[in-house]
Amino acid sequence: MSACLPSVYPLIQAPMAGAQDHRMAAAVCRAGGLGSLPAAMWTATQLAGEIEALRALTDAPFNVNFFTHEMPPPDEAVKARWQHRLQDYYRHWGVTADSAPVPLRRPFAAEQLEVLQQYRPAVVSFHFGLPQAGLMRAVKDTGAQVLASATTVAEAQWLADHGADVVIAQGSEAGGHRATFLGSDMATQTGLFALLPQVADAVPVPVVATGGIADERGIRAALALGASAVQLGTAYLLCHESLIGGVHRTALSAAAGAVAAETAISNVFSGKPARGLVNTLMRDLGCLNEDVAPFPYAAAATAALRSAAEAQGDSSFTPLWSGQNPHGCRAISAYDLTRDLCGCFEG
Ligand SMILES: Cc1cc2nc3c(=O)[nH]c(=O)nc-3n(C[C@H](O)[C@H](O)[C@H](O)COP(=O)(O)O)c2cc1C
């Protein structure tokens, strides 16, 4: 067993809502890593089904991951402003703003806690802070080890002070959403090489490194800088078990083989800053746009555009989530990728 995780190796397959399910998690667990179930876009019933499906494939320990964002009350004026900003695209693609409903990302709540109490996963991780104190205590009472992501030293200290057993230091290289929950200034975000040793010095709990780690070199560097384990997301996105769609796969395959892939942090897809390959919507509106509706509401306004464009093989409105280093992406099974990566823990 690895020193800070219940898996054989100190490697976590990052939970990736919308991009994977129990099949990827099970493959990683069977290879000795810690597979993750990303619950942010699932109902409690769907989550229970995913846990049962995973348990049918492996009895290894696994991680269940939740978002802990606030849900601002829906605001019609803000929604109208965002839809107005997208008007020309609606006209061009012949769609209306709400013709393609999307599942709303929901924060961890009592229904999800009941699933944890029933199935008792070994590890539970949170993105965007921690649940409120009562829920957090109840999660810990299930016996789960609690992990949570920090993008600054201050966030890492806050998480450790509020009961996180392990802190995930998320460098600004990371694909997907920034876990930021104290402050919102993206200009001050730190790369993993600077963030990790400072977090390791600042908190009394083990630290997991994440963001831009693509191969054994990255894993060794993270361990040298004070990490007890690593978490990789983008590297798994071209694996057979990945659920990303055709346009995302094509763009990421090109980026994986390119000399330098162009990614940026943008709020235009969900309302919160997240890193992906630069595409038309990001270029046209600017990566951080002030008219965007708040998370998690913004995604609904681009959903119809996304399906219309994707039907023609066009990635203009698709969030092409990727970290800054897609060179580790390989079209192999998540089992084989995990075995290869974990070779570096063998001696
Ligand atoms: C497609 C995608 C979806 C993600 N979804 C989640 C999520 O649901 N929960 C979470 O905690 N982190 C999520 N992340 C962020 C990862 O936990 C991690 O911080 C990131 O993948 C690390 O950087 P890397 O992609 O360069 O390896 C996501 C990342 C990607 C690429």
Side-chain angles (χ1 to χ4, degrees), residues 14-17 65 67 127 170 174-176 210-212 231-234 237 321 323:
M16 294 186 285
N65 171 262
F67 285 179
H127 212 59
Q170 190 195 35
T210 200
Q231 175 166 295
L232 283 74
T234 300
L237 284 177
W321 304 136

Side-chain angles (χ1 to χ4, degrees), residues 14-20 38-40 65-67 125-128 149 168 170-171 173-179 210-214 231-235 237 244 248 275 321-325:
M16 294 186 285
Q20 50 101 191
N65 171 262
F66 300 95
F67 285 179
S125 71
F126 294 107
H127 212 59
F128 308 129
S149 298
I168 303 167
Q170 190 195 35
E173 304 90 330
H177 284 96
R178 306 297 305 138
T210 200
I213 302 174
Q231 175 166 295
L232 283 74
T234 300
L237 284 177
I244 63 172
H248 193 172
R275 186 177 290 284
W321 304 136
S322 169
Q324 283 181 320
N325 187 355

